[in-house]
Amino acid sequence: MEPSTTIDKETSNDVMENFPLFKKLQSYDHEQLVICSEPDLGLKAIIAVHDTTLGPALGGVRMWPYNNEQEAIRDVLRLSRGMTYKAAISGLNLGGGKAVIIGDSREEKSEALFRAFGRYVDGLGGRYITAEDVGIDVQNMEWVRMETNYVTGLPKTIGGSGDPSPVTAYGVYQGMKACAKKAYGSDSLEGKRISIQGAGHVSSSLAKFLSEEGAELFICDIYEDKVKSLAEEVGAEVVDPDDIYGLDVDIFSPCALGGVINDETISELTCDIIAGAANNVLEEEEKHGQMLLDHNILYAPDYVINAGGLINVASELEGYNEQRAHDQASKIYDTILDILNYSEENDTPTYVASNILAEERIKNTGKINQIYTSESKFSGHLGDLYNNIV
Ligand code: NAD
C-alpha cells in the first residue's frame, strides 16, 4: 500500500499519546529541550529553547529542588515560553529560553557543577544564552563564563550589566504609572495607597521610586527583619503577609512569588490596579485574567511590566550602557498603555492583548527573515549551485 500523504488528525493525536514529551513540546510550541547529566559532578539540568524567530534564546538558569522531572520540565517549558513573549513585546531581537538545575541552591552548588553546565550551554553554539535566575548568584555566573561566552548578567567589574533589579524596578514603576493614567486620568502616584508583596531586590528599588513620588506604602515579607528595615527606609507601614490581599489600597504590587492571583485572593482584592515584578502572577492565565477583567481590575501583564531585567542583560550583548538600558525600560510605560487600550477597545483581558501584540511581532519578523539577502543560507541543490558559482 502506498503511504498516505495526508495525516488524519485523529490518528495523529492517538499516535502522539505514545510520545508525551513531544506532545508537551508541541502544545507549548517549543523547538528544543536539552537534558544535561553529569552524575559525578551532581549536575541534573534541563535547557529549553522555545522560539528563535527573533534571535538567540536568552533566559536565566534557575536552581530549585524540584520534586521530580515532570515538575522541572513543566517549569522550564513555561518559563522559556514566557521569555519569548517578554523579548517580543519589549522590541528585543531575542528568542525565548530558560534552564533549570535540579538541586538545593543552599547546599549543592560547586564550581564543577556550574562549569559543566557552561559546557552544555556552549555546546548549543549560541542558540541559548544564559543568565542569573532564582537561586543563582554572580559568582556562579563567573564559573559558567569560564566555559562559554554565551552568558550575560555578569558583574560590572568584568564588563557585565550587574544586578538587573534596579532596572526591573524602574520598568515596574513606569508600567504602574501607565496603569494609573488609564485608571485615574493622571499618571501621578502621589497620595496613592500602594501595597507591595515582598521586600526583596526589586521591591527595595521600587519602594524608593514610589516613596519619592509621595505614595502611601504598605509592605510585607515573610522575613520580619527584611521588611522592617525597608519600611523604615521608605516610610512604609509593615503589614502581615496574610493581610496583604484584603488591604484597602488603590494598587497592589506583587513582587515576591508567582500564582498569587487566584480564586481565593481575587475575592479579597479591593484595588483598581495590579502592577508588580513577580513572574507568572496569574495562577491560571485564562481563568484569572478573565476574572480580573470582570472585577474591573487593571492587570499589567507580568512579562511586560517586569521586562526591565531582560532589557538590562540584553544590552550587555551590545556592550553595556546603563543609560540606554534605562531609556529602553522607560518604554514599558507606552507598551502597557497600548495593551490597556487594546484590552478596553476589544473587551478582552490584558494578558490576551499582550499575547496578541507579541505574537504579531514574531510573525512579522518571521516573514522578514524569509526575504532573501546575500546573508541567507542555501541548502540542497540550490546551495551547491550557489557555492559553485561563488
Ligand atoms: P527576591 O528574592 O530578592 O525578593 C523576593 C522577596 O519576597 C523575598 O524577600 C522573600 O522573602 C519574599 N517573599 C517570599 N514569599 C513571600 C510571601 N508569601 N509573602 C511576602 N513576601 C514573600 O526576588 P527579586 O529579585 O526581588 O524578584 C521578585 C520577583 O520578581 C520574583 O518573582 C522574580 O522572579 C521577579 N523578577 C525579578 C527580576 C529581577 O530583576 N530581579 C526580573 C524579572 C522578574
Side-chain angles (χ1 to χ4, degrees), residues 164-165 168 198-202 220-223 226 255-257 277-279 306:
S165 308
T168 303
H201 289 99
V202 179
C220 76
D221 199 286
I222 46 173
Y223 296 109
K226 264 181 138 175
C255 295
L257 306 170
N279 281 308
N306 72 17

Side-chain angles (χ1 to χ4, degrees), residues 86-358:
K86 193 181 291 201
I89 201 88
S90 307
L92 299 171
N93 288 321
L94 291 168
K98 203 88 182 182
V100 294
I101 294 176
I102 301 171
D104 186 335
S105 63
R106 286 162 306 180
E107 286 167 15
E108 295 175 53
K109 286 182 175 181
S110 70
E111 176 187 344
L113 182 142
F114 283 98
R115 290 184 67 168
F117 173 71
R119 284 262 166 161
Y120 284 104
V121 171
D122 203 60
L124 289 172
R127 275 178 58 70
Y128 169 66
I129 301 170
T130 197
E132 285 170 48
D133 196 63
V134 176
I136 305 289
D137 58 40
V138 169
Q139 160 81 76
N140 311 145
M141 283 295 110
E142 288 192 47
W143 284 329
V144 174
R145 175 74 178 78
M146 289 177 188
E147 304 299 334
T148 184
N149 287 328
Y150 302 121
V151 53
T152 54
L154 296 166
K156 282 186 176 161
T157 47
I158 57 166
S161 56
D163 177 11
S165 308
V167 182
T168 303
Y170 181 67
V172 173
Y173 172 57
Q174 291 298 323
M176 196 182 276
K177 284 176 83 63
C179 291
K181 175 88 180 155
K182 186 74 187 166
Y184 310 121
S186 158
D187 65 14
S188 169
L189 298 173
E190 191 181 355
K192 292 283 178 278
R193 290 166 61 84
I194 303 174
S195 58
I196 304 178
Q197 184 179 45
H201 289 99
V202 179
S203 314
S204 303
S205 299
L206 177 64
K208 283 173 203 147
F209 288 125
L210 299 175
S211 117
E212 272 164 27
E213 196 168 330
E216 195 180 340
L217 300 179
F218 304 85
I219 307 186
C220 76
D221 199 286
I222 46 173
Y223 296 109
E224 217 173 294
D225 52 335
K226 264 181 138 175
V227 71
K228 267 194 181 155
S229 69
L230 178 59
E232 261 169 38
E233 199 183 336
V234 298
E237 189 177 316
V238 174
V239 295
D240 191 279
D242 291 338
D243 297 337
I244 196 82
Y245 304 106
L247 272 187
D248 176 19
V249 291
D250 303 301
I251 301 171
F252 169 50
S253 186
C255 295
L257 306 170
V260 295
I261 300 300
N262 52 47
D263 288 351
E264 234 172 81
T265 56
I266 290 178
S267 60
E268 287 187 50
L269 293 174
T270 60
C271 59
D272 304 313
I273 294 166
I274 297 174
N279 281 308
N280 298 330
V281 168
L282 306 179
E283 188 171 73
E284 289 174 52
E285 194 175 63
E286 221 169 290
K287 180 181 180 189
H288 299 119
Q290 183 63 46
M291 278 173 81
L292 291 179
L293 181 70
D294 296 342
H295 282 69
N296 254 330
I297 297 175
L298 278 189
Y299 164 62
D302 48 10
Y303 66 78
V304 185
I305 195 166
N306 72 17
L310 175 65
I311 289 168
N312 201 54
V313 293
S315 76
E316 197 173 316
L317 297 174
E318 301 158 354
Y320 185 59
N321 179 306
E322 198 167 340
Q323 186 58 47
R324 195 178 49 202
H326 249 83
D327 291 348
Q328 256 183 300
S330 66
K331 291 185 186 147
I332 289 175
Y333 183 103
D334 291 332
T335 310
I336 291 283
L337 215 46
D338 285 349
I339 287 165
L340 299 179
N341 288 334
Y342 187 105
S343 158
E344 186 184 45
E345 282 156 20
N346 296 281
D347 192 25
T348 190
T350 52
Y351 85 88
V352 174
S354 58
N355 285 358
I356 288 171
L357 294 175

